[in-house]
Amino acid sequence: MSNEHKMKKTLYIADLRSHCVNGISTGHFFPIAAMYQLLFDNSCDVVVAGGPVYKKRFKDENLLLLPYNVCGTSLKDKWHIMKNAIKLFREAKNQTIVIQQGSVVTVLIAIALLYRRTSNLFMIQYSNEGVRSFFKRIIYYFAKNKIDGMICPNDEVGKAYGIPYCVVPDYIYTGSQEFDLIESKQQYLYDFCMVGRIAEEKGFVDVAKFFAKTKYMIVIAGKTQNAELESKLRLVCEGASNIKLHIGYVSDEEYKNYLESSKYTILNYQGEYSRRSSGVVYDTLFAGVPVIGRKCTALDFIEDNKVGFLYTDLNDLNEGCLNKLMDGECLNRFKKNIENYKKIHVQYKKKICQFVLDKKS
C-alpha cells in the first residue's frame, strides 16, 4: 500500500439498521453503499458499515461489520441499533461518516446520546420524517448540533432540518451501474413493467385494472406489502392474459431482466410515495428505460428532462396516447434524452463530493 493511499481519509457509508428479510437485504441500502464506493473512490477510502447481511455483498477489506441485522421495532431491536452506532462511532473516529436513512428517530437518539462529535457526520434523508412531530423535533434538537449536514433529494427536505444540506438525486449515475450496457431492442417481451415492493400507495392494483382491459403486455413483479393487497392484485390479474404477475422477492438478475425486456416502466405513485423521492425511477433511467408515471413531486424531473410521460389520471393513457408511446420514434427520443440526462449526473457527483469532503475536521 502506497504512502499516498495510507494518508487518505476514510469515508464510512453506514446502515445502522441493516434490515433484511429471510437473510436478504431489500430496498436501496446495498445499491447506495455500492454507489458511494464508486463516487468517492478517487478521493478517499470508502468503508461500508453494516450488519451481518452485508457480508453477502461486500468484501471484508471494504466492510466494517456491525453486530446486528435489525428486522423489527421492539425495544430490543432499538437497542441493537444503538450498539451498531456505538461500534460505528468508535471505529470511524476522526474520519467521515454518512448514515443511510433507516429507523430515523432511533438513529437520532443514538447521535444525541452516544456521539461525541469526533468525526464529520452526515445523514441521508429522503423526507422530513425525522421532524414531523413535536416529539421527533425534540429528539432532533439534541442531535442537530452534532450533524454536519444532510444529503437529500430536494430543498423542502433540506430546509426542514435547518442545517447545511446538499440536494442530489437518490441515485447518482456513476457509469458503472449493472444496467449500464442495456441496448435498445427491436423486440420486447413487455410494453410496460411495474417492478419493486408492491405497496398500496404505489397504485399497482389500479394499473392492473386499467391494463387488463387493453391489448398491451405488462409484467408486475415484487413482494406485496400484505396478504390483502396480494389477494386484490391476484384477483385482477388472474383473468388477464396480457398481464404476467410475479409475487415475491425479485432478485437483482430478475429485476435487470424485467427492465431490459420492457419498453417502459410505470410508476403510479400516490400518497407518501408521490412526495418522496424514488430509487426505482433512477434504476429505470440508468437502464435506459423511459418512465410513464403519475404527475407528482417525486416525478417532476421526468417531464422536465423529457425522459418519459406523466399523466394526471390513468385514463389519460387513452388509445391515441398509448399508440404514440409505442411508436419507435417516440421511444428512441426518450432514450436519447435519457443519455443526455445521465451526463448531468457528473455535476451531482462533484457536488456531493465537495459537500462531504470539504468539511474540515
Side-chain angles (χ1 to χ4, degrees):
M1 185 179 295
S2 68
N3 289 332
E4 179 184 357
H5 187 74
K6 288 179 180 178
M7 292 173 64
K8 277 186 177 181
K9 279 282 192 177
T10 300
L11 182 148
Y12 290 79
I13 173 69
D15 175 9
L16 292 179
R17 181 170 173 79
S18 299
H19 179 76
C20 63
V21 178
N22 297 323
I24 298 169
S25 175
T26 58
H28 60 268
F29 299 99
F30 277 12
I32 290 294
M35 183 187 82
Y36 268 69
Q37 286 183 315
L38 292 169
L39 287 176
F40 288 89
D41 183 54
N42 292 328
S43 306
C44 59
D45 294 324
V46 181
V47 172
V48 175
V53 69
Y54 274 74
K55 293 182 72 173
K56 295 186 176 183
R57 174 71 178 270
F58 297 94
K59 297 178 180 178
D60 289 344
E61 60 265 29
N62 302 121
L63 178 64
L64 170 62
L65 191 62
L66 303 180
Y68 300 103
N69 298 326
V70 181
C71 303
T73 57
S74 67
L75 286 176
K76 181 179 180 181
D77 291 318
K78 295 181 190 305
W79 172 237
H80 284 169
I81 292 173
M82 295 286 189
K83 293 188 77 171
N84 283 346
I86 289 170
K87 181 166 183 179
L88 172 68
F89 297 152
R90 182 178 66 245
E91 296 291 332
K93 187 175 181 180
N94 299 323
Q95 304 299 327
T96 298
I97 301 170
V98 178
I99 299 178
Q100 295 207 50
Q101 179 170 332
S103 301
V104 178
V105 174
T106 305
V107 170
L108 288 174
I109 292 173
I111 293 170
L113 296 179
L114 305 172
Y115 179 59
R116 295 292 175 261
R117 201 163 175 74
T118 56
S119 307
N120 292 329
L121 178 65
F122 300 85
M123 296 183 72
I124 299 172
Q125 293 294 299
Y126 301 120
S127 68
N128 64 353
E129 179 185 344
V131 290
R132 278 186 188 164
S133 68
F134 177 75
F135 171 70
K136 291 179 179 180
R137 287 193 291 273
I138 289 295
I139 292 171
Y140 178 62
Y141 173 82
F142 289 102
K144 179 178 178 179
N145 290 334
K146 298 181 177 183
I147 304 168
D148 292 292
M150 294 291 183
I151 298 164
C152 51
N154 55 56
D155 287 307
E156 182 181 355
V157 173
K159 290 177 180 177
Y161 288 96
I163 60 175
Y165 64 91
C166 177
V167 174
V168 291
D170 295 6
Y171 292 178
I172 298 173
Y173 184 69
T174 64
S176 299
Q177 277 85 349
E178 288 183 15
F179 300 131
D180 198 22
L181 300 177
I182 292 175
E183 298 177 355
S184 298
K185 296 183 175 184
Q186 295 303 311
Q187 297 294 326
Y188 294 87
L189 291 177
Y190 313 105
D191 297 305
F192 304 97
C193 69
M194 288 187 82
V195 189
R197 181 171 176 270
I198 299 174
E200 195 76 46
E201 292 184 322
K202 290 185 178 181
F204 276 79
V205 174
D206 290 341
V207 169
K209 286 179 180 178
F210 179 84
F211 278 97
K213 302 173 186 176
T214 72
K215 62 184 180 182
Y216 299 99
M217 296 299 298
I218 178 170
V219 57
I220 296 174
K223 185 175 176 62
T224 50
Q225 184 178 37
N226 53 56
E228 182 182 0
L229 182 57
E230 179 178 337
S231 296
K232 287 181 183 178
L233 196 54
R234 287 190 183 279
L235 187 64
V236 174
C237 296
E238 64 184 9
S241 60
N242 65 319
I243 302 178
K244 175 180 177 177
L245 181 63
H246 169 176
I247 296 292
Y249 172 72
V250 177
S251 69
D252 290 345
E253 186 63 25
E254 289 171 325
Y255 187 32
K256 174 178 179 290
N257 287 338
Y258 285 137
L259 285 176
E260 71 176 355
S261 300
S262 304
K263 294 178 182 176
Y264 295 95
T265 288
I266 296 183
L267 299 174
N268 190 41
Y269 290 157
Q270 302 160 26
E272 175 66 20
Y273 282 96
S274 69
R275 295 184 291 271
R276 65 182 297 173
S277 55
S278 161
V280 174
V281 69
Y282 293 105
D283 279 341
T284 299
L285 293 176
F286 295 166
V289 180
V291 171
I292 307 300
R294 182 175 168 273
K295 284 181 182 288
C296 61
T297 303
L299 300 180
D300 281 345
F301 79 100
I302 296 296
E303 207 162 58
D304 295 342
N305 292 280
K306 298 181 174 58
V307 292
F309 174 79
L310 300 185
Y311 55 83
T312 302
D313 183 271
L314 276 168
N315 290 319
D316 294 344
L317 298 175
N318 53 43
E319 190 64 24
C321 177
L322 289 171
N323 283 339
K324 184 177 179 181
L325 290 172
M326 292 300 110
D327 180 74
E329 287 188 16
C330 179
L331 184 61
N332 287 333
R333 186 165 57 250
F334 284 142
K335 286 179 174 292
K336 183 177 180 180
N337 291 340
I338 289 172
E339 291 307 308
N340 291 330
Y341 172 69
K342 288 179 184 178
K343 295 174 184 176
I344 299 173
H345 281 238
V346 174
Q347 298 305 315
Y348 290 134
K349 177 179 178 179
K350 291 179 181 177
K351 184 178 182 181
I352 192 171
C353 287
Q354 184 177 28
F355 180 72
V356 172
L357 298 179
D358 278 5
K359 173 68 181 177
K360 304 303 180 184
S361 300

